[in-house]
Amino acid sequence: MAKRGFFHSFLSAVIVAVLIFFVMYFFIPSMGMKFLGVSFALREGSLNAQVLDVISEQSQGNPDFSSESFVRLQQLLSSPEVQERLKEAAKEGQQALESAVQQLTERAE
């Protein structure tokens, strides 16, 4: 058996860690946010980041928004139809996105 040195093992571990980081960053954004705190889908200026910013502003700015409403909002946001509608609204502009999120938060209340 070949004897591996410390640097060979260290280099192998670093390469595996870098590959795992890039897979999580680009292809598994939910795990990337959970374990790394960053993801490609939620980078600054992306459609997903814009949608999340508007949703957090709408829900935090409304004093009538309770924890039950937040749970209902999370359930609505998990729907693929709602996600697609919000992405389309984000492409149309900030006002369209804000009105779509306003309608969604009213449904959740």
Side-chain angles (χ1 to χ4, degrees), residues 50-51 53-65 69 73 76-77 82 85-86 89 93-109:
Q50 290 175 355
V51 169
D53 287 343
V54 171
I55 289 172
S56 65
E57 288 172 9
Q58 294 278 339
S59 62
Q60 290 176 354
N62 189 351
D64 297 331
F65 208 73
S69 300
L73 180 63
L76 288 172
L77 289 174
V82 171
R85 186 174 36 177
L86 288 175
Q94 186 71 18
Q95 289 180 334
L97 178 60
E98 288 177 358
S99 66
V101 170
Q102 180 66 31
Q103 292 172 355
L104 190 63
T105 54
E106 287 173 358
R107 278 181 47 191
E109 288 179 350

Side-chain angles (χ1 to χ4, degrees), residues 2-99:
K3 193 173 185 182
R4 294 186 182 186
F6 171 76
F7 292 110
H8 185 271
S9 299
F10 178 73
L11 185 60
S12 298
V14 168
I15 290 173
V16 168
V18 168
L19 288 174
I20 289 172
F21 170 80
F22 281 110
V23 167
M24 288 173 58
Y25 181 77
F26 286 109
F27 301 110
I28 313 171
S30 61
M31 284 182 65
M33 284 304 295
K34 182 177 178 182
F35 295 114
L36 305 172
V38 295
S39 77
F40 182 73
L42 298 176
R43 69 193 182 284
E44 192 69 31
S46 70
L47 292 178
N48 290 338
Q50 290 175 355
V51 169
L52 289 176
D53 287 343
V54 171
I55 289 172
S56 65
E57 288 172 9
Q58 294 278 339
S59 62
Q60 290 176 354
N62 189 351
D64 297 331
F65 208 73
S66 64
S67 60
E68 294 86 18
S69 300
F70 187 73
V71 169
R72 285 192 295 271
L73 180 63
Q74 292 293 342
Q75 291 172 346
L76 288 172
L77 289 174
S78 65
S79 167
E81 299 86 25
V82 171
Q83 291 174 1
E84 189 63 35
R85 186 174 36 177
L86 288 175
K87 286 181 184 179
E88 291 298 321
K91 289 178 185 176
E92 292 174 11
Q94 186 71 18
Q95 289 180 334
L97 178 60
E98 288 177 358
S99 66

